[in-house]
Amino acid sequence: MTDIVDTAIASKSTRRRWLAQAAAVGSAAYLGSNLLAQEKKPAEPPPPLIVRQEAPFNAEPEMAELVKSYVTPVEQFYVRSHGAVPKVDADSFRVKISGLVNRELEFSVAELKDKFDTHKIGATLTCAGNRRQELSAIKKVAGVQWDAGAIGHANWMGALLSEVLAAAELQPGAKHIWLEGLDPIKEKDGSEAPFGGSIPLEKALAKNGDNLPSLLTHTMNDKPLTPEHGAPLRLIVPGYIGARSVKWLAKIIVSDKPSPNHYLAEAYKVIQTDDKEEAAKANPIYEFPFNVAIGLANGAKLKPGFQYIRGYALPQGVVKGGIAAVEVSANNGRTWTFAEISSPINSMSWRLWGAAVNILPGKQTLLARVRPLINGLESSPAEQGQWNLKGYLYNGWHRVRVEGI
């Protein structure tokens, strides 16, 4: 096994009870022998998460729990689903590589482990709709009404996508890597299609350094992937929104153009209207935006006096991105306190921060803002993020209402 980050491989341990139960959350009788029969009702959601939508299942952790650890425990990691969670037969499962390649290949998870070096990376995933509640407060938008917890950082293990593509021998003209999962999504016209998308070839071929590599992942935080997180195999694309890290990955298709899949060609675009022409012209979202959040829920009750407030900051998911500073205010922005930023530095991963803030008796609002580095230059964040029809990429100052009692 090859380590890319400075975390050690731990021995496998018994999975927690609720993770085992979560295997029963949905399933699908779709896409042939890889799937078993669809279950009628989802299982009870894991207790640590706040359920934002029952079916399909979407949930996020409590903010105070989320910022306790740089590596997010599996049970605290947000779950984003567009359809029922497929129950996959691990024995018959294969991921297939085709398209503009000289050798069409397919692998079981065991074969990926046997034929390719296993690498380990630490990478942050975040939903493009994280903090959608705040956009809805400006003007209502549809979609899962996320707070700021649709984000998490984990250690992922698997084969480098670049090495698997090299084994398939790319043909001239290859520019995009299409990705297709096993979850059947019901469209508005009643048809069904798998979740999917694509990433540019240069991102797929990234191998190391600041531009973390894409990984065909079978292990999350030293344990086998759980069903709700894409077992038996998902792609992890550091620096990109979570929608590009396709779960239950079954097909990799090399092409000369972006995927026509709905979730790349039409969805996950920043648009202002429902005009189809506007959506067709808009670029798909790839990199996640810089962001910041306070690790408290609205309405949190705190003791008056100086309290150590924690949170997270996210650099933009690009090479030479970073975080110059995080600032916190308890007096509506009249004065700001610089936070202490901890955790490893990487332009594709979040960083945790903490600041001593004077809490007054009564109700008040805490503010946080991040000063990002883009191409090595410090930028000033906008107080309010850009409203858009689908509620994506909100990254204005974070506000949390608290009460000193």
Side-chain angles (χ1 to χ4, degrees):
M1 186 207 72
T2 302
D3 277 338
I4 295 176
V5 293
D6 59 352
T7 49
I9 298 300
S11 60
K12 295 181 179 179
S13 60
T14 303
R15 297 163 67 188
R16 300 192 180 190
R17 179 175 58 86
W18 77 261
L19 288 174
Q21 292 172 339
V25 178
S27 60
Y30 182 72
L31 296 177
S33 62
N34 277 327
L35 305 181
L36 300 179
Q38 185 171 10
E39 299 192 10
K40 294 181 179 180
K41 295 181 180 180
E44 288 297 317
L49 300 180
I50 302 167
V51 177
R52 298 299 181 194
Q53 187 176 29
E54 290 280 0
F57 182 69
N58 289 283
E60 63 184 308
E62 297 275 1
M63 290 299 297
E65 294 297 319
L66 176 63
V67 299
K68 284 183 177 180
S69 174
Y70 176 66
V71 175
T72 309
V74 174
E75 61 268 29
Q76 293 289 345
F77 211 97
Y78 80 99
V79 178
R80 175 66 174 112
S81 305
H82 289 82
V85 176
K87 193 171 184 180
V88 183
D89 180 1
D91 292 333
S92 63
F93 172 83
R94 300 291 185 275
V95 59
K96 299 180 180 180
I97 300 93
S98 62
L100 295 178
V101 295
N102 292 328
R103 302 173 63 205
E104 291 194 355
L105 302 172
E106 63 175 61
F107 300 102
S108 66
V109 172
E111 288 169 336
L112 284 173
K113 293 178 180 179
D114 180 61
K115 297 179 182 296
F116 300 94
D117 288 340
T118 295
H119 294 257
K120 182 176 185 179
I121 66 171
T124 300
L125 293 187
T126 184
C127 180
N130 193 34
R131 298 181 62 188
R132 184 178 278 134
Q133 288 181 4
E134 294 165 73
L135 273 180
S136 279
I138 300 170
K139 181 181 176 182
K140 183 67 176 178
V141 293
V144 180
Q145 296 299 302
W146 298 109
D147 192 5
I151 187 172
H153 183 90
N155 291 322
W156 312 91
M157 289 173 57
L160 293 183
L161 176 59
S162 60
E163 293 184 355
V164 174
L165 293 174
E169 299 176 5
L170 299 179
Q171 295 179 1
K175 294 181 179 179
H176 297 271
I177 307 301
W178 297 6
L179 311 158
E180 190 173 293
L182 288 174
D183 46 333
I185 312 299
K186 287 189 177 181
E187 305 297 345
K188 292 180 180 179
D189 62 4
S191 63
E192 285 189 344
F195 184 88
S198 61
I199 60 174
L201 180 64
E202 57 269 24
K203 183 67 174 179
L205 296 183
K207 292 183 179 180
N208 209 336
D210 199 37
N211 191 9
L212 290 175
S214 298
L215 205 65
L216 294 171
T217 300
H218 47 71
T219 303
M220 178 181 181
N221 290 349
D222 302 325
K223 300 176 184 178
L225 278 177
T226 59
E228 69 275 17
H229 290 298
L233 190 72
R234 78 175 297 177
L235 186 67
I236 294 296
V237 187
Y240 277 18
I241 60 169
R244 308 304 170 219
S245 292
V246 175
K247 297 190 286 187
W248 314 292
L249 182 65
K251 291 183 180 180
I252 299 171
I253 302 170
V254 182
S255 178
D256 59 351
K257 56 183 177 294
S259 169
N261 187 278
H262 167 72
Y263 292 96
L264 186 108
E266 298 169 335
Y268 288 103
K269 293 183 174 184
V270 175
I271 55 177
Q272 301 301 314
T273 71
D274 58 3
D275 182 75
K276 291 185 177 180
E277 185 174 342
E278 181 188 359
K281 291 179 179 179
N283 292 323
I285 302 170
Y286 290 113
E287 291 91 357
F288 49 56
F290 67 84
N291 221 322
V292 66
I294 298 167
L296 293 170
N298 274 310
K301 299 184 186 304
L302 305 173
K303 291 182 179 180
F306 280 92
Q307 300 294 336
Y308 197 72
I309 306 300
R310 301 177 185 274
Y312 69 76
L314 185 69
Q316 190 173 358
V318 296
V319 176
K320 295 184 179 179
I323 296 168
V326 173
E327 298 170 292
V328 185
S329 174
N331 56 16
N332 204 34
R334 292 192 297 275
T335 60
W336 294 86
T337 298
F338 282 102
E340 300 173 323
I341 303 175
S342 62
S343 58
I345 299 174
N346 183 279
S347 62
M348 307 288 171
S349 299
W350 75 355
R351 301 190 70 191
L352 301 185
W353 56 263
V357 176
N358 188 20
I359 303 299
L360 301 176
K363 295 181 179 179
Q364 60 217 272
T365 298
L366 303 182
L367 307 179
R369 64 187 183 188
V370 60
R371 295 189 178 277
L373 292 172
I374 300 176
N375 293 322
L377 300 176
E378 183 176 335
S379 301
S380 296
E383 182 174 351
Q384 183 169 291
Q386 179 190 12
W387 187 91
N388 60 90
L389 183 69
K390 297 189 176 183
Y392 292 141
L393 309 186
Y394 189 78
N395 64 346
W397 298 359
H398 192 223
R399 291 170 164 81
V400 174
R401 299 182 303 276
V402 300
E403 184 176 5
I405 60 170

Coordinates of all heavy atoms in Angstrom, one line a residue, residues 201-273:
L201 N -10.3 15.0 -18.2 CA -9.2 14.0 -18.2 C -8.0 14.4 -17.3 O -7.5 13.6 -16.5 CB -8.7 13.7 -19.6 CG -7.6 12.7 -19.7 CD1 -8.0 11.3 -19.2 CD2 -7.1 12.6 -21.1
E202 N -7.7 15.7 -17.3 CA -6.5 16.2 -16.6 C -6.8 16.0 -15.1 O -5.8 15.7 -14.3 CB -6.2 17.6 -16.9 CG -7.3 18.6 -16.7 CD -8.1 18.9 -17.9 OE1 -8.2 18.0 -18.8 OE2 -8.8 20.0 -18.0
K203 N -8.0 16.1 -14.6 CA -8.3 15.9 -13.2 C -8.2 14.4 -12.9 O -7.7 14.0 -11.9 CB -9.7 16.4 -12.9 CG -10.1 16.2 -11.4 CD -9.3 17.1 -10.5 CE -9.8 17.1 -9.1 NZ -8.9 17.9 -8.2
A204 N -8.7 13.6 -13.8 CA -8.6 12.1 -13.6 C -7.2 11.6 -13.6 O -6.9 10.6 -12.9 CB -9.4 11.4 -14.7
L205 N -6.3 12.3 -14.2 CA -4.9 11.8 -14.3 C -4.0 12.4 -13.2 O -2.8 12.0 -13.2 CB -4.3 12.1 -15.7 CG -5.0 11.4 -16.9 CD1 -4.2 11.8 -18.2 CD2 -5.0 9.9 -16.7
A206 N -4.5 13.3 -12.4 CA -3.7 13.8 -11.3 C -3.2 12.7 -10.4 O -4.0 11.8 -10.1 CB -4.6 14.8 -10.5
K207 N -2.0 12.8 -10.0 CA -1.4 11.6 -9.3 C -1.0 12.0 -7.8 O -1.0 11.1 -7.0 CB -0.2 11.1 -10.0 CG -0.5 10.4 -11.4 CD 0.7 9.9 -12.1 CE 0.3 9.2 -13.4 NZ 1.5 8.6 -14.0
N208 N -0.5 13.2 -7.6 CA 0.0 13.5 -6.2 C 0.2 15.0 -6.1 O -0.1 15.7 -7.0 CB 1.3 12.7 -6.0 CG 1.5 12.4 -4.5 OD1 0.9 13.0 -3.6 ND2 2.2 11.4 -4.2
G209 N 0.7 15.3 -5.0 CA 1.0 16.7 -4.7 C -0.2 17.5 -4.3 O -1.2 17.0 -3.7
D210 N -0.2 18.8 -4.6 CA -1.3 19.7 -4.1 C -2.6 19.3 -4.8 O -3.7 19.4 -4.3 CB -0.9 21.1 -4.5 CG -1.8 22.1 -3.7 OD1 -2.0 21.8 -2.5 OD2 -2.1 23.2 -4.2
N211 N -2.5 18.8 -6.1 CA -3.7 18.4 -6.8 C -3.9 16.9 -6.4 O -3.4 16.0 -7.2 CB -3.5 18.6 -8.3 CG -4.8 18.4 -9.0 OD1 -5.9 18.2 -8.5 ND2 -4.7 18.3 -10.4
L212 N -4.6 16.6 -5.4 CA -4.8 15.3 -4.9 C -5.4 14.4 -6.0 O -6.3 14.8 -6.7 CB -5.6 15.2 -3.6 CG -5.0 15.8 -2.4 CD1 -6.0 15.8 -1.2 CD2 -3.8 15.1 -1.9
P213 N -5.0 13.1 -6.0 CA -5.5 12.2 -7.1 C -6.9 11.8 -6.8 O -7.4 11.7 -5.7 CB -4.5 11.1 -7.0 CG -4.1 11.0 -5.6 CD -4.0 12.5 -5.2
S214 N -7.6 11.4 -8.0 CA -8.9 10.8 -7.9 C -8.7 9.3 -7.5 O -7.8 8.6 -8.0 CB -9.6 10.9 -9.2 OG -9.9 12.3 -9.4
L215 N -9.6 8.7 -6.7 CA -9.3 7.4 -6.2 C -10.6 6.5 -6.3 O -11.7 7.0 -6.0 CB -9.0 7.6 -4.7 CG -8.2 6.5 -4.0 CD1 -6.8 6.5 -4.5 CD2 -8.2 6.8 -2.5
L216 N -10.4 5.3 -6.8 CA -11.5 4.3 -6.8 C -11.5 3.7 -5.4 O -10.7 2.8 -5.1 CB -11.2 3.3 -7.9 CG -11.3 3.8 -9.4 CD1 -10.8 2.7 -10.3 CD2 -12.7 4.2 -9.7
T217 N -12.4 4.1 -4.6 CA -12.4 3.9 -3.2 C -13.2 2.8 -2.7 O -14.4 2.7 -3.1 CB -12.8 5.2 -2.5 OG1 -11.9 6.3 -2.8 CG2 -12.8 5.0 -1.0
H218 N -12.7 1.9 -1.9 CA -13.4 0.8 -1.3 C -13.4 0.9 0.3 O -14.1 0.2 0.9 CB -12.9 -0.5 -1.7 CG -11.3 -0.6 -1.6 ND1 -10.7 -0.7 -0.4 CD2 -10.4 -0.7 -2.6 CE1 -9.4 -0.7 -0.7 NE2 -9.2 -0.7 -2.0
T219 N -12.6 1.9 0.8 CA -12.4 1.9 2.3 C -12.5 3.4 2.7 O -11.9 4.3 2.1 CB -11.0 1.4 2.6 OG1 -10.9 0.0 2.2 CG2 -10.8 1.4 4.2
M220 N -13.2 3.6 3.8 CA -13.4 4.9 4.4 C -13.1 4.9 5.8 O -13.7 4.1 6.6 CB -14.9 5.4 4.2 CG -15.3 6.7 4.7 SD -17.1 7.0 4.4 CE -17.3 8.6 5.1
N221 N -12.1 5.7 6.2 CA -11.6 5.7 7.6 C -11.3 4.3 8.1 O -11.7 3.9 9.2 CB -12.7 6.3 8.5 CG -12.8 7.8 8.3 OD1 -12.0 8.4 7.6 ND2 -13.8 8.4 8.9
D222 N -10.6 3.6 7.3 CA -10.0 2.3 7.6 C -11.1 1.2 7.7 O -10.8 0.1 8.3 CB -9.1 2.4 8.8 CG -8.0 3.3 8.7 OD1 -7.5 3.5 7.6 OD2 -7.7 4.0 9.7
K223 N -12.3 1.4 7.3 CA -13.3 0.4 7.3 C -13.9 0.3 5.9 O -13.9 1.3 5.2 CB -14.4 0.8 8.3 CG -13.9 0.9 9.8 CD -15.0 1.4 10.7 CE -14.5 1.6 12.1 NZ -15.6 2.1 13.0
P224 N -14.5 -0.8 5.6 CA -15.2 -0.9 4.3 C -16.3 0.1 4.1 O -16.9 0.5 5.1 CB -15.8 -2.4 4.3 CG -14.9 -3.1 5.3 CD -14.6 -2.1 6.3
L225 N -16.4 0.6 2.9 CA -17.4 1.6 2.6 C -18.8 1.0 3.1 O -19.0 -0.2 2.9 CB -17.5 1.9 1.1 CG -16.6 2.9 0.5 CD1 -16.8 2.9 -1.0 CD2 -16.8 4.3 1.1
T226 N -19.6 1.9 3.6 CA -21.0 1.4 3.9 C -21.9 1.7 2.8 O -21.6 2.5 1.9 CB -21.5 2.2 5.2 OG1 -21.5 3.6 4.8 CG2 -20.6 2.0 6.4
P227 N -23.1 1.0 2.7 CA -24.0 1.2 1.6 C -24.3 2.6 1.3 O -24.3 3.1 0.1 CB -25.2 0.4 2.0 CG -24.7 -0.7 2.9 CD -23.6 0.0 3.7
E228 N -24.7 3.4 2.3 CA -25.1 4.8 2.1 C -23.9 5.7 1.6 O -24.2 6.8 1.0 CB -25.7 5.4 3.3 CG -24.8 5.7 4.4 CD -24.6 4.5 5.4 OE1 -24.9 3.3 4.9 OE2 -24.1 4.7 6.5
H229 N -22.7 5.2 1.7 CA -21.6 6.0 1.2 C -21.0 5.4 -0.1 O -19.8 5.7 -0.5 CB -20.5 6.1 2.3 CG -20.9 7.1 3.4 ND1 -21.2 8.4 3.2 CD2 -21.2 6.8 4.7 CE1 -21.6 9.0 4.3 NE2 -21.6 8.0 5.3
G230 N -21.7 4.4 -0.7 CA -21.3 4.0 -2.0 C -20.7 2.6 -2.2 O -20.2 2.3 -3.2
A231 N -20.8 1.8 -1.1 CA -20.3 0.4 -1.2 C -20.9 -0.4 -2.4 O -22.1 -0.2 -2.7 CB -20.5 -0.4 0.1
P232 N -20.1 -1.1 -3.1 CA -18.7 -1.5 -2.7 C -17.6 -0.6 -3.3 O -16.5 -0.7 -2.9 CB -18.6 -2.9 -3.3 CG -19.5 -2.8 -4.5 CD -20.6 -2.0 -4.2
L233 N -18.0 0.3 -4.2 CA -16.9 1.2 -4.8 C -17.5 2.5 -5.2 O -18.6 2.6 -5.7 CB -16.4 0.5 -6.1 CG -15.2 1.1 -6.7 CD1 -13.9 0.8 -5.9 CD2 -15.0 0.5 -8.1
R234 N -16.8 3.6 -4.8 CA -17.1 4.9 -5.3 C -15.9 5.6 -5.7 O -14.7 5.3 -5.3 CB -17.8 5.7 -4.2 CG -16.9 6.3 -3.1 CD -17.6 7.2 -2.1 NE -18.2 8.4 -2.7 CZ -19.0 9.2 -2.1 NH1 -19.2 9.1 -0.8 NH2 -19.5 10.3 -2.7
L235 N -16.0 6.7 -6.5 CA -14.9 7.5 -6.9 C -14.8 8.7 -5.9 O -15.9 9.2 -5.5 CB -15.1 8.1 -8.3 CG -13.9 8.9 -8.9 CD1 -12.7 7.9 -9.1 CD2 -14.3 9.5 -10.2
I236 N -13.6 9.0 -5.5 CA -13.4 10.2 -4.7 C -12.6 11.2 -5.6 O -11.5 10.9 -6.1 CB -12.6 9.9 -3.4 CG1 -13.5 9.0 -2.5 CG2 -12.2 11.2 -2.7 CD1 -14.8 9.7 -2.0
V237 N -13.2 12.4 -5.8 CA -12.5 13.4 -6.6 C -12.2 14.6 -5.7 O -13.1 15.5 -5.5 CB -13.4 13.8 -7.8 CG1 -12.6 14.8 -8.7 CG2 -13.9 12.6 -8.6
P238 N -11.0 14.7 -5.1 CA -10.7 15.8 -4.2 C -10.8 17.2 -4.9 O -10.4 17.3 -6.0 CB -9.3 15.5 -3.8 CG -9.1 14.1 -4.0 CD -9.9 13.7 -5.2
G239 N -11.4 18.1 -4.1 CA -11.5 19.5 -4.7 C -12.8 19.7 -5.4 O -13.1 20.9 -5.7
Y240 N -13.5 18.7 -5.8 CA -14.8 18.8 -6.6 C -16.0 18.6 -5.7 O -15.8 17.9 -4.6 CB -14.8 17.8 -7.7 CG -14.0 18.1 -9.0 CD1 -13.1 19.2 -9.0 CD2 -14.3 17.5 -10.2 CE1 -12.4 19.5 -10.1 CE2 -13.6 17.8 -11.3 CZ -12.7 18.8 -11.3 OH -12.0 19.2 -12.5
I241 N -17.1 19.1 -6.1 CA -18.3 18.9 -5.3 C -18.6 17.4 -5.2 O -18.2 16.6 -6.0 CB -19.5 19.7 -5.9 CG1 -19.8 19.2 -7.3 CG2 -19.3 21.2 -5.8 CD1 -21.1 19.7 -7.9
G242 N -19.3 17.0 -4.1 CA -19.6 15.6 -3.9 C -20.3 14.9 -5.0 O -20.1 13.7 -5.2
A243 N -21.1 15.6 -5.8 CA -21.8 15.0 -6.9 C -20.8 14.3 -7.9 O -21.2 13.4 -8.7 CB -22.7 16.0 -7.7
R244 N -19.6 14.8 -8.0 CA -18.6 14.2 -8.9 C -18.0 12.9 -8.4 O -17.3 12.2 -9.1 CB -17.6 15.2 -9.3 CG -18.2 16.5 -9.8 CD -19.1 16.4 -11.0 NE -19.8 17.6 -11.3 CZ -21.1 17.6 -11.7 NH1 -21.8 16.5 -11.8 NH2 -21.7 18.8 -12.0
S245 N -18.1 12.7 -7.1 CA -17.6 11.5 -6.4 C -18.7 10.4 -6.5 O -19.3 10.1 -5.4 CB -17.1 11.8 -5.0 OG -16.0 12.6 -5.0
V246 N -18.9 9.9 -7.6 CA -20.0 9.0 -7.9 C -20.0 7.8 -7.0 O -19.0 7.1 -7.0 CB -20.1 8.7 -9.4 CG1 -21.2 7.6 -9.7 CG2 -20.4 9.9 -10.2
K247 N -21.1 7.5 -6.4 CA -21.2 6.3 -5.5 C -21.7 5.1 -6.3 O -22.2 5.2 -7.4 CB -22.2 6.6 -4.4 CG -21.7 7.7 -3.4 CD -22.5 7.8 -2.2 CE -23.9 8.4 -2.4 NZ -24.6 8.6 -1.1
W248 N -21.5 3.9 -5.8 CA -21.8 2.6 -6.4 C -21.4 2.6 -7.9 O -22.1 2.2 -8.8 CB -23.4 2.4 -6.3 CG -23.9 2.7 -4.9 CD1 -23.7 2.0 -3.8 CD2 -24.7 3.8 -4.5 NE1 -24.3 2.5 -2.7 CE2 -24.9 3.7 -3.1 CE3 -25.3 4.9 -5.2 CZ2 -25.7 4.6 -2.4 CZ3 -26.0 5.8 -4.5 CH2 -26.2 5.7 -3.1
L249 N -20.1 3.0 -8.0 CA -19.6 3.2 -9.4 C -19.4 1.9 -10.1 O -18.8 1.0 -9.7 CB -18.2 3.9 -9.2 CG -17.5 4.2 -10.6 CD1 -18.3 5.2 -11.3 CD2 -16.1 4.7 -10.3
A250 N -20.1 1.8 -11.3 CA -20.1 0.6 -12.1 C -19.6 0.8 -13.5 O -19.1 -0.2 -14.1 CB -21.5 0.0 -12.2
K251 N -19.6 2.0 -14.0 CA -19.1 2.2 -15.4 C -18.2 3.4 -15.4 O -18.5 4.5 -14.8 CB -20.3 2.4 -16.3 CG -21.1 1.2 -16.6 CD -22.2 1.5 -17.6 CE -23.0 0.3 -17.9 NZ -24.1 0.5 -18.9
I252 N -17.0 3.3 -16.1 CA -16.1 4.4 -16.4 C -16.0 4.4 -17.9 O -15.5 3.4 -18.5 CB -14.8 4.1 -15.7 CG1 -14.9 4.1 -14.2 CG2 -13.8 5.2 -16.1 CD1 -13.7 3.7 -13.4
I253 N -16.4 5.4 -18.5 CA -16.4 5.5 -20.0 C -15.5 6.7 -20.4 O -15.7 7.8 -20.0 CB -17.8 5.7 -20.6 CG1 -18.7 4.5 -20.1 CG2 -17.8 5.8 -22.1 CD1 -20.1 4.7 -20.4
V254 N -14.5 6.4 -21.2 CA -13.6 7.5 -21.7 C -14.2 8.1 -23.0 O -14.5 7.3 -23.9 CB -12.2 6.9 -22.0 CG1 -11.2 8.0 -22.4 CG2 -11.7 6.2 -20.7
S255 N -14.3 9.4 -23.0 CA -14.9 10.0 -24.2 C -14.2 11.3 -24.6 O -13.3 11.8 -23.9 CB -16.4 10.4 -23.8 OG -17.0 11.1 -24.8
D256 N -14.6 11.9 -25.7 CA -14.0 13.1 -26.2 C -14.9 14.3 -25.8 O -14.6 15.5 -26.2 CB -13.8 13.1 -27.7 CG -15.1 12.9 -28.5 OD1 -16.2 12.6 -27.8 OD2 -15.1 13.0 -29.7
K257 N -16.0 14.1 -25.1 CA -16.9 15.2 -24.7 C -17.4 14.9 -23.3 O -17.4 13.7 -22.8 CB -18.0 15.3 -25.7 CG -18.8 14.0 -25.9 CD -19.9 14.3 -27.0 CE -20.7 13.0 -27.3 NZ -19.8 12.0 -27.9
P258 N -18.0 15.9 -22.6 CA -18.6 15.7 -21.3 C -19.8 14.7 -21.3 O -20.4 14.6 -22.4 CB -19.0 17.1 -20.9 CG -18.2 18.0 -21.7 CD -18.0 17.3 -23.0
S259 N -20.1 14.1 -20.2 CA -21.2 13.2 -20.1 C -22.5 13.9 -20.4 O -22.8 15.0 -20.0 CB -21.2 12.6 -18.7 OG -22.4 11.8 -18.5
P260 N -23.4 13.2 -21.1 CA -24.8 13.7 -21.3 C -25.7 13.4 -20.1 O -26.9 13.8 -20.1 CB -25.3 12.9 -22.5 CG -24.6 11.6 -22.4 CD -23.2 11.9 -21.8
N261 N -25.2 12.8 -19.0 CA -26.0 12.5 -17.9 C -26.6 13.7 -17.3 O -26.0 14.8 -17.2 CB -25.1 11.8 -16.8 CG -26.0 11.3 -15.6 OD1 -26.3 12.0 -14.7 ND2 -26.3 10.0 -15.6
H262 N -27.9 13.6 -16.9 CA -28.7 14.8 -16.4 C -27.9 15.5 -15.3 O -28.0 16.8 -15.3 CB -30.0 14.2 -15.9 CG -30.7 15.2 -15.0 ND1 -31.4 16.3 -15.6 CD2 -31.0 15.3 -13.7 CE1 -32.0 17.1 -14.7 NE2 -31.7 16.5 -13.5
Y263 N -27.2 14.8 -14.5 CA -26.6 15.5 -13.3 C -25.3 16.2 -13.7 O -24.7 16.9 -12.8 CB -26.3 14.5 -12.2 CG -27.7 14.0 -11.6 CD1 -28.3 12.8 -12.1 CD2 -28.3 14.8 -10.7 CE1 -29.5 12.5 -11.6 CE2 -29.6 14.4 -10.3 CZ -30.2 13.2 -10.7 OH -31.4 12.9 -10.2
L264 N -24.9 16.1 -14.9 CA -23.8 17.0 -15.4 C -24.3 18.0 -16.5 O -24.0 19.1 -16.5 CB -22.6 16.2 -16.0 CG -21.4 17.1 -16.3 CD1 -20.3 16.9 -15.3 CD2 -21.0 16.9 -17.7
A265 N -25.1 17.4 -17.4 CA -25.5 18.2 -18.5 C -26.6 19.3 -18.2 O -26.7 20.3 -18.8 CB -26.1 17.3 -19.7
E266 N -27.4 19.0 -17.1 CA -28.5 19.9 -16.8 C -28.5 20.3 -15.3 O -28.7 21.5 -15.0 CB -29.9 19.1 -17.1 CG -30.0 18.8 -18.6 CD -31.2 17.9 -18.9 OE1 -31.6 17.1 -18.0 OE2 -31.7 17.9 -20.0
A267 N -28.4 19.4 -14.4 CA -28.4 19.7 -13.0 C -27.0 20.2 -12.6 O -26.0 20.2 -13.4 CB -28.8 18.5 -12.1
Y268 N -26.8 20.6 -11.3 CA -25.6 21.1 -10.8 C -24.9 22.1 -11.6 O -23.7 22.1 -12.0 CB -24.6 19.9 -10.5 CG -25.1 19.0 -9.3 CD1 -25.7 17.8 -9.5 CD2 -24.9 19.5 -8.0 CE1 -26.2 17.1 -8.5 CE2 -25.3 18.8 -7.0 CZ -26.0 17.6 -7.2 OH -26.4 16.8 -6.1
K269 N -25.7 23.2 -11.9 CA -25.3 24.4 -12.6 C -25.8 25.6 -11.9 O -26.9 25.5 -11.4 CB -25.7 24.4 -14.1 CG -25.1 23.3 -14.9 CD -25.6 23.4 -16.4 CE -24.8 22.4 -17.3 NZ -25.2 22.6 -18.7
V270 N -25.1 26.6 -11.9 CA -25.5 27.9 -11.2 C -26.3 28.7 -12.3 O -25.7 29.2 -13.2 CB -24.4 28.7 -10.7 CG1 -24.8 30.0 -10.2 CG2 -23.6 27.9 -9.6
I271 N -27.6 28.7 -12.1 CA -28.5 29.4 -13.1 C -29.5 30.3 -12.3 O -29.7 30.1 -11.1 CB -29.2 28.5 -14.0 CG1 -30.0 27.5 -13.2 CG2 -28.3 27.8 -14.9 CD1 -30.9 26.5 -14.0
Q272 N -30.0 31.3 -12.9 CA -30.9 32.2 -12.3 C -32.4 32.0 -12.6 O -33.3 32.4 -11.9 CB -30.6 33.7 -12.7 CG -29.2 34.1 -12.3 CD -28.9 33.9 -10.8 OE1 -29.7 34.4 -10.0 NE2 -27.7 33.3 -10.5
T273 N -32.7 31.3 -13.7 CA -34.0 31.0 -14.1 C -34.2 29.5 -14.5 O -33.2 28.8 -14.6 CB -34.4 31.9 -15.3 OG1 -33.7 31.4 -16.5 CG2 -34.1 33.3 -15.1

